[in-house]
């Protein structure tokens, strides 16, 4: 699949929404429409302003919204990009002139959409079942440096104790329980490198770091269970195939690795196994995603690459 | 994106420009006593480099540069280098200037792309500055200017976090996106493929602070390591031996940003199908009306106002430098340049703005010269023509 301009070098620039059984067709269509969309909605002349952009389809109980972030603010659209339902301008009030101002990190949790900002604040928006009556419900204060990524887990049965994770430029992770008021469950300190990508699955936090490490933590307590020297350059994207517990890591070292997560039946400890590695020659990867929840295929994007490459297991 | 990127972009591109000009001037070097009036000597070469370096590191200019600001368009930046390249008695015609700029850009793109850590772009910058100091050793005043800039770089950048450097790196790479001009020295060294893309090696030392990939460590709930497994990573990496120095003097360790040109390895670009990507993108930028042309014009005027151009004194003619191996090649290159690259004159609203035009006129006034360089146009017209080309 060709794009007219190669994707901007920003982590996680590839998103698929597995909405229905027509996921394949939906994916093809939606990825194309995003490519078209990005070139229309952004003021063309100031190329720089387009480049703080992240995009994410937020799957909520009764609707799907397309969320775009940039250095100006946050836009939310109906899932086909046809109508903008909400615009939130970023508050740049106390930002010093040397500070880059932007929104980054988007995730949906229940009927909330969380968006991270340059200051470390996480904005929580309350989304109604339909219509444009979206409200800013809360601003989470847990981070002191720019948010890089946010991950959420669909609530499993009644009682989920930790369903949102936020990550920042210092590598700090905050684990939250969502609700009318979000509660901070635990903090996992960084170690001097950014954490560009984070995922949450069955109480396991998977974090990818700027020094190529992937770490797995117990979400409730924040204990480190697994440390993988996975890549030789910064990790740009992690993704999960929730049906089988497969984790994908892609990095600027041109490699993609697939891991199998599990819990030991005796101790409940998190374990991991390496399944597969793929080298995308001479390409600094910037985005990667599983194409389906069973993880049988994945797609990658890279710097200076005008195509989305798709790999399927045979 | 990051508002701290411009100094790094400017200094590194400037450094590459100096490497190339130095190499070309040496290649055309004629011993002083044998030289005709229009041929380059060692004395001329040193003078040209001194003039350019001293203009580049001019205090007022550096002040403007280091102000937090977004990167401007490629055209605006190119105009600054056009000006800089003509800061001495040397003259480059359009084809040679195009080639120079292509080489500079691809070289720095390569260096940014291959930096092991985002912070290493600072080491690349220091490599360029170290080399520049070597080129102008005989001039203590200019050396002092360069050292001042060195200190300013250290002050601004040494305290930045890894996350801020990653943003700077991303800003730079977006600036260079989709440029695939083939450079023969890169092709020969096999760091660039014939399709114009750079080779990203999967072997060698890992960045400082990164472990060699291939190990999985598992811990129990008490934090004790319980298992260690190896996996096949696919690359062939080794541990990094030492970290480069971020001091005023020191071993940078990293080779990126050092001078790769020498007398035996002439600079050469091939413009080919691969570069069509860059021209079509440039065309897209040309066509879209740019409401920010005023802002860019303002920025340029301020920058150039800060550039003190040393006017050649006395009746010396300007010396022409050819980036190609022969004059015929240069002419040929000018003829085969695709239509789209010819700068179209775009009407800019700026002149209608009373205040702006007064400011520009004042700056133009300061730049007027009395003697004529080899070109028939005066420097004032030159600047205006360049402004029109935005």
């Amino acid at each position: 699949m060709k794009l007219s301009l190669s994707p901007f070098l920003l982590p996680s620039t590839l998103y698929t929404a597995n909405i229905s059984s027509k996921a394949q067709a939906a994916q093809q269509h939606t990825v194309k429409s995003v490519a078209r969309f990005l070139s229309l909605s952004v003021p063309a002349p100031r190329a720089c302003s387009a480049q703080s952009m992240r995009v994410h389809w937020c799957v909520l109980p009764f609707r799907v919204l397309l969320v775009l972030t940039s250095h100006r603010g946050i836009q939310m659209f109906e899932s086909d990009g046809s109508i903008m339902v909400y615009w939130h301008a970023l508050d740049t009030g106390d930002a010093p002139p040397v500070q880059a101002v932007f929104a980054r990190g988007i995730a949906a949790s229940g009927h909330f959409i969380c968006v991270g900002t340059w200051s470390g604040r996480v904005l929580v928006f309350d989304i109604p079942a339909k219509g444009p009556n979206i409200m800013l419900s809360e601003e989470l204060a847990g981070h002191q440096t720019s948010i890089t990524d946010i991950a959420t887990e669909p609530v499993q049965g009644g009682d989920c104790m930790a369903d949102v994770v936020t990550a920042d430029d210092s590598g700090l992770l905050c684990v939250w329980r969502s609700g009318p008021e979000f509660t901070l469950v635990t903090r996992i300190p960084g170690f001097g490198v950014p954490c560009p990508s984070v995922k949450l699955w069955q109480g396991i936090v998977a974090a990818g770091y700027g020094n190529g490490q992937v770490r797995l933590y117990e979400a409730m307590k924040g204990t480190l269970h697994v440390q993988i020297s996975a890549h030789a350059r910064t990790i740009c994207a992690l993704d999960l195939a929730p049906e089988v517990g497969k984790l994908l890591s892609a990095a600027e070292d041109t490699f993609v690795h697939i891991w199998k997560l599990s819990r030991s039946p005796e101790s409940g400890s998190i374990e991991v196994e390496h399944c597969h590695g793929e080298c995308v020659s001479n390409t600094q990867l910037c985005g990667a995603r599983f194409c389906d929840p069973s993880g049988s295929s994945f797609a990658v994007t890279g710097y200076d690459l005008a195509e989305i490459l798709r790999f399927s297991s045979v | 994106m990051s508002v701290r990127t411009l100094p790094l972009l400017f200094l590194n591109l400037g450094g590459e420009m100096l490497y190339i000009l130095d190499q070309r001037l040496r290649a055309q070097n004629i011993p002083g006593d044998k030289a005709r009036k229009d041929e380059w000597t060692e004395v001329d070469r040193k003078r040209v480099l001194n003039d350019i370096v001293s203009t580049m590191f001019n205090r007022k200019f550096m002040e403007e540069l280091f102000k937090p600001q977004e990167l401007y368009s490629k055209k605006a930046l190119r105009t600054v280098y056009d000006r800089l390249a003509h800061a001495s008695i040397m003259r480059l015609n359009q084809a040679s200037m195009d080639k120079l700029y292509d080489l500079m850009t691809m070289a720095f793109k390569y260096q940014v792309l291959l930096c092991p850590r985002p912070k290493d772009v600072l080491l690349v910058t220091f490599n360029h500055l170290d080399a520049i100091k070597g080129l102008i050793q005989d001039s203590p005043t200019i050396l002092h200017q360069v050292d001042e800039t060195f200190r300013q770089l250290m002050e601004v950048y040494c305290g930045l976090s890894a996350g801020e450097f990653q943003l700077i790196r991303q800003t730079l790479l977006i600036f260079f996106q989709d440029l695939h001009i083939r450079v023969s020295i890169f092709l020969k060294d096999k760091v660039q493929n014939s399709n114009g893309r750079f080779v990203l090696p999967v072997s060698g030392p890992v960045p400082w602070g990164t472990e060699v990939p291939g190990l999985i460590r598992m811990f129990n709930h008490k934090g004790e390591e319980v298992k260690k497994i190896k996996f096949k990573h696919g690359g062939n990496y080794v541990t990094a031996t030492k970290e480069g120095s971020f001091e005023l003097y020191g071993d940078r360790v990293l080779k990126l940003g050092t001078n790769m040109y020498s007398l035996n390895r002439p600079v050469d670009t091939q413009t080919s199908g691969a570069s069509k990507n860059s021209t079509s993108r440039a065309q897209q930028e040309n066509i879209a009306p740019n409401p920010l042309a005023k802002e860019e014009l303002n920025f340029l005027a301020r920058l150039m106002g800060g550039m003190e151009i040393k006017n050649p004194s006395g009746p010396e003619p300007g010396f022409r430098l050819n980036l190609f191996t022969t004059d015929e090649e240069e002419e040929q290159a000018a003829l085969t340049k695709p239509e789209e690259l010819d700068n179209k004159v775009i009407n800019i609203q700026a002149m209608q703005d009373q205040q702006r035009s007064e400011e520009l006129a004042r700056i133009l006034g300061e730049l007027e010269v009395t003697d004529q360089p080899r070109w028939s146009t005066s420097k004032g017209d030159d600047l205006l023509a360049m402004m029109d080309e935005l």
Side-chain angles (χ1 to χ4, degrees):
Chain A
M1 164 184 293
K2 278 195 178 290
L3 299 175
S4 54
L5 291 175
S6 63
F8 301 123
L9 177 70
L10 297 164
S12 311
T13 54
L14 182 67
Y15 290 87
T16 60
N18 298 318
I19 304 168
S20 64
S21 56
K22 293 189 200 146
Q24 200 69 1
Q27 174 207 317
Q28 299 281 2
H29 168 74
T30 44
V31 169
K32 268 202 187 108
S33 56
V34 168
R36 169 183 60 84
F37 184 80
L38 284 176
S39 62
L40 287 176
S41 73
V42 176
R46 193 59 189 273
C48 291
S49 59
Q51 288 151 3
S52 303
M53 194 161 279
R54 294 287 200 278
V55 60
H56 191 78
W57 274 280
C58 293
V59 180
L60 303 152
F62 297 103
R63 69 200 293 195
V64 176
L65 288 182
L66 178 64
V67 180
L68 268 69
T69 62
S70 70
H71 82 307
R72 299 240 186 85
I74 302 159
Q75 295 169 294
M76 299 191 191
F77 297 81
E78 295 297 355
S79 62
D80 62 355
S82 54
I83 315 163
M84 183 168 88
V85 294
Y86 185 69
W87 157 255
H88 179 95
L90 283 179
D91 177 16
T92 62
D94 42 354
V98 281
Q99 176 66 49
V101 170
F102 52 81
R104 183 170 66 181
I106 311 166
S109 176
H111 60 93
F112 296 107
I113 289 180
C114 304
V115 182
T117 66
W118 58 274
S119 62
R121 293 257 150 161
V122 178
L123 307 174
V124 182
F125 297 94
D126 196 337
I127 316 289
K130 58 177 180 228
N133 203 19
I134 294 168
M135 312 242 294
L136 178 62
S137 145
E138 202 180 345
E139 283 191 37
L140 307 178
H143 293 270
Q144 257 74 54
T145 56
S146 307
I147 302 293
T148 48
D149 197 15
I150 306 179
T152 58
E153 179 158 41
V155 175
Q156 316 269 348
D159 212 11
C160 186
M161 301 300 287
D163 58 344
V164 179
V165 186
T166 52
D168 75 19
D169 257 351
S170 72
L172 170 69
L173 302 169
C174 289
V175 184
W176 312 82
R177 180 164 64 245
S178 69
E181 257 183 44
F182 276 50
T183 333
L184 181 65
V185 172
T186 188
R187 308 178 92 210
I188 303 171
F191 48 99
V193 286
C195 175
S197 189
V198 72
K199 283 274 168 286
L200 186 57
W201 181 70
Q202 297 196 354
I204 303 172
V205 173
Y209 293 89
N211 66 349
Q213 267 186 21
V214 173
R215 291 190 177 190
L216 305 178
Y217 303 90
E218 182 69 58
M220 285 307 299
K221 299 243 174 59
T223 18
L224 174 67
H225 277 254
V226 179
Q227 180 174 311
I228 315 174
S229 308
H231 292 276
R233 295 284 188 277
T234 181
I235 289 177
C236 60
L238 294 180
D239 196 26
L240 267 165
E243 275 175 21
V244 293
K246 273 201 189 150
L247 177 72
L248 172 166
S249 65
E252 288 186 6
D253 66 354
T254 77
F255 283 91
V256 179
H257 286 293
I258 314 279
W259 316 87
K260 178 85 172 58
L261 307 185
S262 58
R263 281 201 189 258
S264 142
E266 307 95 31
S267 58
S269 298
I270 303 165
E271 295 186 334
V272 81
E273 186 193 316
H274 179 250
C275 299
H276 183 72
E278 195 69 48
C279 175
V280 186
S281 297
N282 303 323
T283 308
Q284 276 197 7
L285 301 173
C286 51
R289 276 288 191 272
F290 282 117
C291 300
D292 56 83
S294 68
S296 57
S297 62
F298 63 89
V300 299
T301 56
Y303 175 68
D304 265 356
L305 197 63
E307 295 154 334
I308 299 176
L309 301 176
R310 189 154 169 262
F311 297 83
S312 306
S313 57
V314 290
Chain B
M1 300 306 282
S2 174
V3 289
R4 287 189 245 245
T5 317
L6 189 61
L8 298 177
L9 182 63
F10 175 77
L11 289 170
N12 285 292
L13 285 178
E16 287 301 316
M17 182 172 91
L18 287 163
Y19 289 162
I20 297 163
L21 290 177
D22 179 57
Q23 196 272 329
R24 288 306 291 166
L25 290 168
R26 282 179 197 272
Q28 298 190 354
N29 202 12
I30 317 288
D33 52 342
K34 297 205 178 72
R36 298 196 312 265
K37 239 189 147 182
D38 57 349
E39 283 179 333
W40 291 104
T41 65
E42 174 74 3
V43 169
D44 293 323
R45 181 186 66 83
K46 283 200 169 151
R47 192 175 146 191
V48 166
L49 294 177
N50 276 5
D51 283 348
I52 295 178
V53 174
S54 122
T55 309
M56 223 171 114
F57 289 88
N58 170 272
R59 195 192 166 86
K60 220 170 122 203
F61 184 78
M62 280 293 141
E63 256 174 48
E64 276 298 324
L65 197 71
F66 272 84
K67 287 185 182 158
Q69 58 202 308
E70 297 271 359
L71 288 186
Y72 281 79
S73 69
K74 290 187 185 58
K75 277 184 98 65
L77 198 66
R78 161 69 194 261
T79 310
V80 175
Y81 287 106
D82 278 350
R83 205 80 188 95
L84 194 59
H86 291 95
S88 69
I89 53 170
M90 182 185 70
R91 290 290 167 270
L92 292 169
N93 66 19
Q94 184 76 308
S96 277
M97 191 63 222
D98 285 345
K99 182 171 172 178
L100 175 63
Y101 195 70
D102 285 346
L103 285 171
M104 284 159 56
T105 335
M106 288 308 286
F108 188 43
K109 176 175 180 174
Y110 170 69
Q111 288 152 16
V112 176
L113 205 55
L114 262 82
C115 268
R117 297 173 301 178
K119 185 175 183 178
D120 290 339
V121 75
L122 198 53
L123 289 175
V124 173
T125 317
F126 289 164
N127 272 333
H128 279 115
L129 290 190
D130 289 341
I132 288 172
K133 279 158 71 170
L135 292 174
I136 47 127
Q137 275 168 23
D138 309 331
S139 320
T141 339
I142 312 177
L143 262 175
H144 177 74
Q145 280 174 265
V146 178
D147 274 340
E148 273 310 302
T149 305
F150 222 118
R151 284 195 192 91
Q152 207 175 356
L153 278 172
M154 283 167 64
E155 202 184 293
V156 171
Y157 292 98
C158 282
L160 293 188
S161 69
E164 283 164 307
F165 272 113
Q166 178 67 328
L167 196 63
I168 288 171
R169 176 188 157 80
Q170 283 164 359
T171 311
L172 287 169
L173 285 175
I174 287 169
F175 183 82
F176 291 123
Q177 196 161 14
D178 293 326
L179 282 177
H180 299 298
I181 301 159
R182 287 160 14 179
V183 177
S184 61
I185 203 175
F186 287 141
L187 294 170
K188 280 195 198 101
D189 287 349
K190 305 244 189 295
V191 301
Q192 192 179 28
N193 289 327
S194 53
N195 61 5
R197 283 157 202 281
F198 290 118
V199 172
L200 300 181
V202 294
S203 57
V206 284
W208 187 260
T210 296
E211 287 160 6
V212 176
L215 192 63
I216 305 172
R217 296 165 69 194
M218 296 190 246
F219 307 86
N220 62 16
H221 61 276
K222 282 189 257 171
E224 298 157 348
E225 188 177 301
V226 292
K227 216 176 189 180
K228 225 178 193 160
I229 314 177
K230 286 212 167 111
F231 73 92
K232 194 167 176 319
H233 168 73
N236 189 17
Y237 294 100
V238 295
T239 334
T241 43
K242 70 179 179 162
E243 191 183 12
S245 161
F246 289 91
E247 303 297 320
L248 198 58
Y249 302 97
D251 179 8
R252 311 295 175 198
V253 179
L254 197 63
K255 292 287 163 263
L256 296 169
T258 55
N259 195 345
M260 60 177 163
Y261 304 105
S262 71
L263 269 176
N264 302 325
R265 316 183 81 204
V267 298
D268 188 21
T269 50
Q270 303 171 26
T271 48
S272 62
S275 72
K276 280 206 187 105
N277 290 336
S278 68
T279 57
S280 57
R281 194 175 164 88
Q283 192 181 12
Q284 281 172 32
E285 283 186 47
N286 272 341
I287 289 171
N290 187 356
L292 291 154
K294 263 196 234 180
E295 249 187 82
E296 284 183 358
L297 206 58
N298 215 15
F299 158 71
L300 278 180
R302 281 201 319 273
L303 263 191
M304 292 190 203
M307 256 189 194
E308 278 167 25
I309 310 296
K310 288 229 190 88
N311 305 319
S313 53
E316 284 172 280
F319 279 65
R320 198 170 68 80
L321 181 67
N322 184 353
L323 267 271
F324 298 82
T325 25
T326 62
D327 284 349
E328 290 72 39
E329 252 188 71
E330 194 185 39
E331 272 172 41
Q332 193 56 34
L335 290 171
T336 55
K337 198 172 68 171
E339 272 300 313
E340 312 88 76
L341 280 181
D342 285 341
N343 292 323
K344 296 186 171 56
V345 175
I346 298 173
N347 282 330
I348 302 176
Q349 303 293 323
M351 286 324 215
Q352 291 172 12
D353 184 320
Q354 191 60 16
Q355 205 185 15
R356 288 268 153 62
S357 62
E358 273 166 20
E359 174 71 12
L360 282 172
R362 183 187 67 75
I363 291 170
L364 288 177
E366 284 169 23
L367 292 169
E368 254 171 44
V369 297
T370 47
D371 49 300
Q372 296 291 334
R374 242 195 185 170
W375 278 356
S376 53
T377 57
S378 74
K379 280 212 167 108
D381 285 348
D382 201 25
L383 180 62
L384 203 54
M386 274 193 252
M387 296 280 190
D388 275 343
E389 283 159 9
L390 282 174

